[in-house]
């Protein structure tokens, strides 16, 4: 059973009544939109859920991203990055019996564009201990494992830390665009203010 909703389940006024209707269905997921960010939520007993397993709710990416806002790209189309740092796009959900898979597709990009990495182009050896690398995994969640490897480093793969914060690359873009819009208010539509991402690692 796929339940389509217009708002996240945790914002539904009578959500407990809705939970009672679906919580005994072990193969049920729900999908919502209109929040202009992409997020996986597991609804648990802390939310009032009484089902045997947490319920998977997907707040889905939007095609218009941040309402077609932001500076135009090389095609003349606003980059319209969503407030969590993910690109605009859509999802494809595939079912195999009771199993399902959700694939994130960024608009105008190849299917393998699934992550944005924010790191300096170059750092000295002495700066390496004070340098933070961020990875925005667009379809990631608290259940994802994200690792980093520095080429030729004998340490191999290093686990990255899941961090709920504003994507720093998006914040820099927002700040730079704000400065331009102060001089040219009609240059383009102002993008949404960045908000903490649920799919960011550092």
């Amino acid at each position: 059973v796929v339940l389509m909703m217009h708002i996240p389940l945790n914002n539904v006024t009578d959500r407990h009544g809705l939970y009672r209707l679906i919580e005994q269905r072990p193969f049920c997921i729900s999908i919502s939109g209109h929040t202009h960010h992409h997020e996986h939520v597991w609804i648990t007993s802390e939310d009032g859920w009484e089902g045997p397993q947490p319920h998977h709710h997907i707040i889905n990416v939007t095609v218009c991203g941040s309402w077609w806002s932001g500076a135009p790209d090389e095609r003349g189309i606003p980059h319209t990055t969503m407030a969590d740092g993910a690109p605009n796009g859509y999802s494809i959900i595939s079912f195999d019996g009771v199993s399902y898979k959700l694939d994130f597709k960024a608009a105008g990009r190849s299917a393998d564009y699934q992550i944005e990495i924010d790191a300096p182009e170059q750092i000295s050896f002495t700066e390496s201990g004070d340098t933070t690398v961020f990875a925005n995994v667009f379809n990631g969640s608290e259940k994802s494992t994200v690792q980093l490897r520095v080429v030729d480093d004998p340490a191999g793969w290093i686990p990255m830390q899941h961090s709920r914060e504003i994507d720093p690359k998006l914040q820099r873009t927002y700040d730079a665009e704000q400065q331009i819009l102060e001089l040219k208010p009609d240059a383009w539509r102002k993008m949404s203010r960045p908000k903490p991402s649920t799919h960011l690692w550092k």
Side-chain angles (χ1 to χ4, degrees), residues 23-59:
E23 62 197 3
Q24 298 307 316
R25 298 175 182 266
F27 308 116
C28 179
I29 62 171
S30 56
I31 303 170
S32 66
H34 298 289
T35 56
H36 300 263
H37 73 282
H38 189 74
E39 181 178 0
H40 293 270
V41 179
W42 279 268
I43 299 172
T44 68
S45 58
E46 292 179 6
D47 307 300
W49 180 258
E50 296 176 6
Q53 298 293 329
H55 174 77
H56 186 194
H57 178 68
I58 302 160
I59 302 171

Short mmCIF file of all heavy atoms in Angstrom, two decimals, residues 23-59:
data_model
loop_
_atom_site.label_atom_id
_atom_site.label_comp_id
_atom_site.label_asym_id
_atom_site.label_seq_id
_atom_site.Cartn_x
_atom_site.Cartn_y
_atom_site.Cartn_z
N GLU A 23 -1.22 1.16 10.54
CA GLU A 23 -0.07 0.60 11.25
C GLU A 23 -0.04 -0.94 11.31
O GLU A 23 1.01 -1.51 11.57
CB GLU A 23 0.04 1.19 12.66
CG GLU A 23 -1.13 0.90 13.55
CD GLU A 23 -1.16 1.83 14.75
OE1 GLU A 23 -0.32 2.73 14.85
OE2 GLU A 23 -2.06 1.66 15.59
N GLN A 24 -1.15 -1.58 11.04
CA GLN A 24 -1.13 -3.05 11.01
C GLN A 24 -0.87 -3.59 9.60
O GLN A 24 -0.97 -4.79 9.36
CB GLN A 24 -2.46 -3.60 11.55
CG GLN A 24 -2.73 -3.23 13.00
CD GLN A 24 -1.57 -3.60 13.92
OE1 GLN A 24 -1.01 -4.69 13.84
NE2 GLN A 24 -1.20 -2.68 14.83
N ARG A 25 -0.53 -2.71 8.69
CA ARG A 25 -0.18 -3.11 7.33
C ARG A 25 1.34 -3.08 7.23
O ARG A 25 1.94 -2.01 7.09
CB ARG A 25 -0.81 -2.19 6.30
CG ARG A 25 -2.33 -2.21 6.32
CD ARG A 25 -2.89 -1.18 5.35
NE ARG A 25 -4.33 -1.16 5.40
CZ ARG A 25 -5.12 -1.86 4.60
NH1 ARG A 25 -4.57 -2.65 3.68
NH2 ARG A 25 -6.41 -1.77 4.68
N PRO A 26 2.00 -4.23 7.31
CA PRO A 26 3.47 -4.25 7.38
C PRO A 26 4.16 -3.77 6.12
O PRO A 26 5.32 -3.40 6.16
CB PRO A 26 3.79 -5.71 7.67
CG PRO A 26 2.61 -6.47 7.15
CD PRO A 26 1.42 -5.58 7.37
N PHE A 27 3.45 -3.77 4.99
CA PHE A 27 4.09 -3.38 3.74
C PHE A 27 3.52 -2.07 3.21
O PHE A 27 3.22 -1.93 2.03
CB PHE A 27 3.92 -4.50 2.70
CG PHE A 27 4.37 -5.84 3.22
CD1 PHE A 27 3.47 -6.88 3.36
CD2 PHE A 27 5.69 -6.05 3.60
CE1 PHE A 27 3.88 -8.11 3.85
CE2 PHE A 27 6.10 -7.27 4.09
CZ PHE A 27 5.20 -8.30 4.22
N CYS A 28 3.39 -1.10 4.10
CA CYS A 28 2.81 0.19 3.74
C CYS A 28 3.87 1.28 3.87
O CYS A 28 4.62 1.32 4.84
CB CYS A 28 1.62 0.48 4.66
SG CYS A 28 0.83 2.07 4.36
N ILE A 29 3.97 2.14 2.88
CA ILE A 29 4.81 3.33 2.97
C ILE A 29 3.93 4.54 2.63
O ILE A 29 2.84 4.38 2.09
CB ILE A 29 6.02 3.29 2.00
CG1 ILE A 29 5.54 3.23 0.55
CG2 ILE A 29 6.94 2.14 2.34
CD1 ILE A 29 6.69 3.41 -0.46
N SER A 30 4.39 5.72 2.97
CA SER A 30 3.65 6.93 2.60
C SER A 30 4.61 7.93 1.98
O SER A 30 5.81 7.94 2.29
CB SER A 30 2.95 7.53 3.82
OG SER A 30 3.87 7.79 4.86
N ILE A 31 4.08 8.74 1.09
CA ILE A 31 4.87 9.73 0.37
C ILE A 31 4.14 11.06 0.39
O ILE A 31 2.93 11.11 0.16
CB ILE A 31 5.10 9.28 -1.10
CG1 ILE A 31 5.76 7.90 -1.14
CG2 ILE A 31 5.95 10.30 -1.84
CD1 ILE A 31 5.81 7.28 -2.52
N SER A 32 4.89 12.13 0.67
CA SER A 32 4.29 13.47 0.64
C SER A 32 5.18 14.40 -0.16
O SER A 32 6.30 14.04 -0.55
CB SER A 32 4.10 14.01 2.06
OG SER A 32 5.36 14.23 2.68
N GLY A 33 4.71 15.59 -0.38
CA GLY A 33 5.49 16.59 -1.11
C GLY A 33 5.16 17.98 -0.61
O GLY A 33 4.68 18.16 0.50
N HIS A 34 5.44 18.95 -1.44
CA HIS A 34 5.10 20.36 -1.19
C HIS A 34 5.94 21.02 -0.09
O HIS A 34 5.63 22.13 0.31
CB HIS A 34 3.61 20.54 -0.87
CG HIS A 34 2.72 20.12 -2.00
ND1 HIS A 34 2.60 20.84 -3.16
CD2 HIS A 34 1.92 19.04 -2.15
CE1 HIS A 34 1.76 20.23 -3.97
NE2 HIS A 34 1.35 19.13 -3.39
N THR A 35 6.96 20.37 0.40
CA THR A 35 7.82 21.03 1.38
C THR A 35 9.14 21.46 0.75
O THR A 35 9.95 22.11 1.39
CB THR A 35 8.12 20.09 2.57
OG1 THR A 35 8.68 18.88 2.07
CG2 THR A 35 6.86 19.79 3.36
N HIS A 36 9.36 21.07 -0.50
CA HIS A 36 10.52 21.50 -1.28
C HIS A 36 11.84 21.13 -0.63
O HIS A 36 12.78 21.92 -0.59
CB HIS A 36 10.42 23.00 -1.58
CG HIS A 36 9.19 23.34 -2.36
ND1 HIS A 36 9.17 23.48 -3.72
CD2 HIS A 36 7.91 23.51 -1.94
CE1 HIS A 36 7.93 23.74 -4.13
NE2 HIS A 36 7.15 23.75 -3.07
N HIS A 37 11.88 19.93 -0.11
CA HIS A 37 13.12 19.29 0.31
C HIS A 37 12.89 17.78 0.21
O HIS A 37 11.76 17.34 -0.02
CB HIS A 37 13.54 19.73 1.72
CG HIS A 37 12.73 19.16 2.84
ND1 HIS A 37 11.48 19.64 3.18
CD2 HIS A 37 13.00 18.15 3.69
CE1 HIS A 37 11.01 18.96 4.22
NE2 HIS A 37 11.91 18.04 4.54
N HIS A 38 13.97 17.01 0.35
CA HIS A 38 13.86 15.56 0.21
C HIS A 38 14.30 14.91 1.52
O HIS A 38 15.38 15.22 2.03
CB HIS A 38 14.76 15.08 -0.94
CG HIS A 38 14.55 13.64 -1.31
ND1 HIS A 38 13.44 13.21 -2.00
CD2 HIS A 38 15.29 12.54 -1.07
CE1 HIS A 38 13.52 11.91 -2.20
NE2 HIS A 38 14.63 11.46 -1.63
N GLU A 39 13.44 14.03 2.06
CA GLU A 39 13.75 13.47 3.38
C GLU A 39 13.09 12.11 3.56
O GLU A 39 11.95 11.90 3.13
CB GLU A 39 13.28 14.43 4.47
CG GLU A 39 13.56 13.99 5.87
CD GLU A 39 13.10 15.02 6.91
OE1 GLU A 39 12.58 16.08 6.54
OE2 GLU A 39 13.27 14.73 8.11
N HIS A 40 13.80 11.21 4.23
CA HIS A 40 13.23 9.94 4.66
C HIS A 40 12.96 10.03 6.15
O HIS A 40 13.84 10.41 6.92
CB HIS A 40 14.20 8.79 4.40
CG HIS A 40 14.43 8.53 2.94
ND1 HIS A 40 13.66 7.66 2.22
CD2 HIS A 40 15.34 9.05 2.08
CE1 HIS A 40 14.09 7.63 0.96
NE2 HIS A 40 15.11 8.48 0.85
N VAL A 41 11.75 9.68 6.57
CA VAL A 41 11.36 9.76 7.98
C VAL A 41 10.87 8.38 8.40
O VAL A 41 10.11 7.74 7.67
CB VAL A 41 10.22 10.80 8.19
CG1 VAL A 41 9.79 10.84 9.64
CG2 VAL A 41 10.64 12.17 7.70
N TRP A 42 11.33 7.93 9.58
CA TRP A 42 10.81 6.69 10.15
C TRP A 42 9.97 7.06 11.35
O TRP A 42 10.48 7.59 12.35
CB TRP A 42 11.95 5.73 10.52
CG TRP A 42 12.41 4.99 9.32
CD1 TRP A 42 11.97 3.78 8.88
CD2 TRP A 42 13.36 5.42 8.34
NE1 TRP A 42 12.58 3.43 7.70
CE2 TRP A 42 13.44 4.42 7.35
CE3 TRP A 42 14.15 6.57 8.21
CZ2 TRP A 42 14.27 4.53 6.24
CZ3 TRP A 42 14.98 6.67 7.11
CH2 TRP A 42 15.03 5.66 6.14
N ILE A 43 8.66 6.81 11.24
CA ILE A 43 7.72 7.17 12.29
C ILE A 43 7.69 6.03 13.31
O ILE A 43 7.46 4.87 12.96
CB ILE A 43 6.33 7.44 11.69
CG1 ILE A 43 6.43 8.63 10.71
CG2 ILE A 43 5.31 7.74 12.78
CD1 ILE A 43 5.19 8.87 9.90
N THR A 44 7.95 6.38 14.58
CA THR A 44 8.10 5.39 15.63
C THR A 44 7.11 5.64 16.77
O THR A 44 6.27 6.53 16.69
CB THR A 44 9.54 5.44 16.19
OG1 THR A 44 9.72 6.68 16.88
CG2 THR A 44 10.58 5.31 15.08
N SER A 45 7.26 4.86 17.83
CA SER A 45 6.39 5.00 19.00
C SER A 45 6.52 6.40 19.61
O SER A 45 5.57 6.90 20.22
CB SER A 45 6.74 3.94 20.05
OG SER A 45 8.10 4.04 20.44
N GLU A 46 7.66 7.05 19.45
CA GLU A 46 7.82 8.42 19.96
C GLU A 46 6.87 9.39 19.27
O GLU A 46 6.54 10.44 19.81
CB GLU A 46 9.26 8.90 19.77
CG GLU A 46 10.26 8.15 20.64
CD GLU A 46 11.68 8.63 20.41
OE1 GLU A 46 11.87 9.63 19.66
OE2 GLU A 46 12.59 8.02 20.97
N ASP A 47 6.42 9.03 18.06
CA ASP A 47 5.48 9.86 17.31
C ASP A 47 4.03 9.42 17.51
O ASP A 47 3.13 9.99 16.89
CB ASP A 47 5.82 9.79 15.81
CG ASP A 47 7.28 10.12 15.54
OD1 ASP A 47 7.69 11.24 15.88
OD2 ASP A 47 8.00 9.26 14.99
N GLY A 48 3.82 8.39 18.31
CA GLY A 48 2.47 7.87 18.51
C GLY A 48 2.15 6.66 17.65
O GLY A 48 1.02 6.18 17.63
N TRP A 49 3.14 6.13 16.94
CA TRP A 49 2.96 4.97 16.08
C TRP A 49 2.90 3.71 16.95
O TRP A 49 3.72 3.53 17.84
CB TRP A 49 4.13 4.88 15.11
CG TRP A 49 4.09 3.73 14.15
CD1 TRP A 49 4.80 2.57 14.23
CD2 TRP A 49 3.32 3.64 12.96
NE1 TRP A 49 4.51 1.76 13.16
CE2 TRP A 49 3.61 2.39 12.36
CE3 TRP A 49 2.39 4.48 12.34
CZ2 TRP A 49 3.01 1.97 11.18
CZ3 TRP A 49 1.81 4.06 11.15
CH2 TRP A 49 2.12 2.83 10.58
N GLU A 50 1.93 2.82 16.69
CA GLU A 50 1.78 1.60 17.49
C GLU A 50 2.01 0.34 16.67
O GLU A 50 1.75 -0.76 17.15
CB GLU A 50 0.39 1.58 18.13
CG GLU A 50 0.18 2.71 19.13
CD GLU A 50 -1.23 2.74 19.71
OE1 GLU A 50 -2.01 1.80 19.41
OE2 GLU A 50 -1.54 3.70 20.43
N GLY A 51 2.49 0.49 15.44
CA GLY A 51 2.74 -0.68 14.59
C GLY A 51 3.97 -1.46 15.05
O GLY A 51 4.79 -0.95 15.83
N PRO A 52 4.12 -2.69 14.57
CA PRO A 52 5.25 -3.53 15.00
C PRO A 52 6.60 -3.02 14.52
O PRO A 52 7.62 -3.25 15.17
CB PRO A 52 4.92 -4.89 14.38
CG PRO A 52 3.98 -4.61 13.26
CD PRO A 52 3.21 -3.39 13.66
N GLN A 53 6.64 -2.31 13.40
CA GLN A 53 7.88 -1.76 12.86
C GLN A 53 7.68 -0.27 12.56
O GLN A 53 6.56 0.16 12.28
CB GLN A 53 8.26 -2.48 11.55
CG GLN A 53 8.52 -3.96 11.70
CD GLN A 53 9.77 -4.24 12.54
OE1 GLN A 53 10.72 -3.47 12.53
NE2 GLN A 53 9.75 -5.35 13.26
N PRO A 54 8.74 0.52 12.61
CA PRO A 54 8.60 1.94 12.23
C PRO A 54 8.04 2.07 10.81
O PRO A 54 8.27 1.23 9.95
CB PRO A 54 10.04 2.47 12.30
CG PRO A 54 10.72 1.57 13.28
CD PRO A 54 10.11 0.20 13.05
N HIS A 55 7.30 3.14 10.60
CA HIS A 55 6.68 3.40 9.29
C HIS A 55 7.60 4.31 8.48
O HIS A 55 8.07 5.34 8.96
CB HIS A 55 5.32 4.08 9.48
CG HIS A 55 4.68 4.50 8.20
ND1 HIS A 55 4.06 3.61 7.35
CD2 HIS A 55 4.59 5.73 7.61
CE1 HIS A 55 3.59 4.26 6.31
NE2 HIS A 55 3.90 5.54 6.43
N HIS A 56 7.86 3.94 7.22
CA HIS A 56 8.71 4.74 6.34
C HIS A 56 7.86 5.76 5.60
O HIS A 56 6.96 5.41 4.84
CB HIS A 56 9.43 3.82 5.34
CG HIS A 56 10.43 4.53 4.49
ND1 HIS A 56 10.97 3.97 3.36
CD2 HIS A 56 11.01 5.77 4.59
CE1 HIS A 56 11.83 4.81 2.81
NE2 HIS A 56 11.86 5.91 3.54
N HIS A 57 8.17 7.03 5.84
CA HIS A 57 7.50 8.13 5.16
C HIS A 57 8.53 8.89 4.35
O HIS A 57 9.61 9.22 4.86
CB HIS A 57 6.82 9.06 6.18
CG HIS A 57 6.15 10.23 5.54
ND1 HIS A 57 5.04 10.10 4.75
CD2 HIS A 57 6.46 11.56 5.54
CE1 HIS A 57 4.67 11.30 4.30
NE2 HIS A 57 5.53 12.19 4.77
N ILE A 58 8.22 9.16 3.10
CA ILE A 58 9.15 9.86 2.20
C ILE A 58 8.58 11.24 1.89
O ILE A 58 7.46 11.35 1.38
CB ILE A 58 9.34 9.06 0.89
CG1 ILE A 58 9.88 7.66 1.19
CG2 ILE A 58 10.27 9.82 -0.06
CD1 ILE A 58 9.68 6.67 0.07
N ILE A 59 9.35 12.27 2.20
CA ILE A 59 9.01 13.63 1.78
C ILE A 59 9.77 13.83 0.48
O ILE A 59 11.00 13.92 0.47
CB ILE A 59 9.40 14.67 2.84
CG1 ILE A 59 8.70 14.35 4.17
CG2 ILE A 59 9.06 16.07 2.36
CD1 ILE A 59 9.18 15.17 5.34
#
